[in-house]
Amino acid sequence: MSTANLAILGVMLLVGVASAFGLYRAGGKSQKADTADQDVKDAQGALDRASAMAQAEADKPATESDILARLNRGNA
């Protein structure tokens, strides 16, 4: 092999390795984005459940004495 052929082969090898590394990094960023989206969905689900529980607590029937006691405590 001549020097020119070795130089061309070296450049091709370098381009191939750089491309593979770039694809690997792009895949990692995509996976992180998917994980972040799932974290947002999980947090939203937890917030929805907590809101539903708080609303159910607020909507339940209460006696007059319960309402007055909550007003006295300051958390009605």
Side-chain angles (χ1 to χ4, degrees):
M1 289 186 113
S2 69
T3 306
N5 287 343
L6 287 176
I8 291 171
L9 183 63
V11 168
M12 290 175 63
L13 185 63
L14 182 64
V15 167
V17 169
S19 296
F21 183 70
L23 289 173
Y24 172 76
R25 288 193 44 145
K29 289 180 181 178
S30 174
Q31 185 178 13
K32 287 178 186 174
D34 290 344
T35 302
D37 287 343
Q38 186 60 45
D39 289 345
V40 169
K41 288 177 186 174
D42 291 344
Q44 185 63 45
L47 181 61
D48 290 344
R49 286 190 300 278
S51 280
M53 289 180 356
Q55 189 63 45
E57 182 69 24
D59 290 344
K60 75 177 184 179
T63 64
E64 183 179 347
S65 61
D66 289 340
I67 294 172
L68 291 174
R70 280 200 270 166
L71 285 171
N72 287 334
R73 286 194 309 261
N75 63 354

